[in-house]
């Protein structure tokens, strides 16, 4: 059985994230979407809320499991028995950061490989932080995030001070 994981903060999950998950799930028997539960990072949604927002988009996908983890990505990779980490990249700046991270992960867990998956051109400019800011100012984000995320985000940013 081939297993991979796609780690990230997903705050909030974007259509770009959903696209990477869908494409990755076609390549592996099992795909773990690992939501970072880092208390040091100020997230708009809790880890459990982000898990639900992602899961709701993959109800009929038996090979996708969404879970949270608080710790090093390589530790959960080892625990889950995966040997491939999926990393979405939008531009050269993303690649530089992701490449350094992949090299660090390779030192910590030599058996893990990193697959850099370019973002679909439709989602090239989507960044979670920018989407939260646009939502706070009442912009239409319906083409950037799944409907369930847009709904929850609109409830959350009624008070712009939440961002």
């Amino acid at each position: 059985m081939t297993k991979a994981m796609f780690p990230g903060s997903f705050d909030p999950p974007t259509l770009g994230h959903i696209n990477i998950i869908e494409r990755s799930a076609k390549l592996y028997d099992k795909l773990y979407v690992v939501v970072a539960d880092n208390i040091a990072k100020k997230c708009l949604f809790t880890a459990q809320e982000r898990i639900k927002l992602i899961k709701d988009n993959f109800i009929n996908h038996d090979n996708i499991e969404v879970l949270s983890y608080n710790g090093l990505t390589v530790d959960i990779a080892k625990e889950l028995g995966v040997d491939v980490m999926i990393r979405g990249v939008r531009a050269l700046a993303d690649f530089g950061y992701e490449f350094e991270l992949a090299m660090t992960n390779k030192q910590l867990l030599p058996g893990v490989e990193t697959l850099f998956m370019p973002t679909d051109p439709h989602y090239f400019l989507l960044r979670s932080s920018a989407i939260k800011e646009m939502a706070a100012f009442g912009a239409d984000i319906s083409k950037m995030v799944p409907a369930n995320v847009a709904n929850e985000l609109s409830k959350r940013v009624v008070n712009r001070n939440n961002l």
Side-chain angles (χ1 to χ4, degrees):
M1 175 187 252
T2 59
K3 298 189 282 185
M5 64 182 264
F6 178 40
S9 56
F10 307 105
D11 187 50
T14 69
L15 289 175
H17 293 132
I18 299 302
N19 178 261
I20 296 283
I21 293 167
E22 288 172 340
R23 290 165 52 207
S24 299
K26 291 177 185 174
L27 300 174
Y28 298 95
D29 297 323
K30 182 75 167 186
L31 177 68
Y32 296 99
V33 179
V34 180
V35 175
D37 186 11
N38 183 347
I39 59 171
K41 188 172 181 180
K42 187 176 191 284
C43 289
L44 186 60
F45 294 99
T46 67
Q48 291 308 311
E49 289 170 329
R50 288 177 276 152
I51 287 171
K52 181 174 179 359
L53 289 170
I54 295 168
K55 277 184 176 180
D56 287 351
N57 287 280
F58 295 102
I59 293 168
N60 296 319
H61 290 77
D62 294 336
N63 71 325
I64 298 173
E65 184 175 333
V66 186
L67 57 128
S68 68
Y69 189 72
N70 182 357
L72 293 175
T73 306
V74 292
D75 290 340
I76 187 68
K78 189 175 182 178
E79 187 178 312
L80 295 172
V82 302
D83 38 31
V84 175
M85 280 193 231
I86 310 289
R87 301 301 297 176
V89 290
R90 293 175 299 229
L92 191 55
D94 281 355
F95 182 78
Y97 170 79
E98 293 295 345
F99 183 80
E100 288 180 20
L101 188 59
M103 293 301 99
T104 301
N105 288 339
K106 191 76 166 161
Q107 286 182 336
L108 295 172
L109 187 61
V112 72
E113 297 294 342
T114 300
L115 172 69
F116 299 107
M117 186 172 286
T119 295
D120 186 294
H122 290 85
Y123 311 116
F124 185 73
L125 298 175
L126 299 184
R127 287 181 307 123
S128 294
S129 58
I131 290 170
K132 288 186 283 191
E133 185 175 351
M134 287 184 270
F137 287 100
D140 179 10
I141 57 166
S142 64
K143 293 184 176 141
M144 301 174 197
V145 297
N148 66 324
V149 174
N151 183 44
E152 290 302 315
L153 195 51
S154 68
K155 290 178 194 174
R156 195 61 58 100
V157 297
V158 168
N159 176 358
R160 291 185 181 155
N161 293 329
N162 283 338
L163 299 178

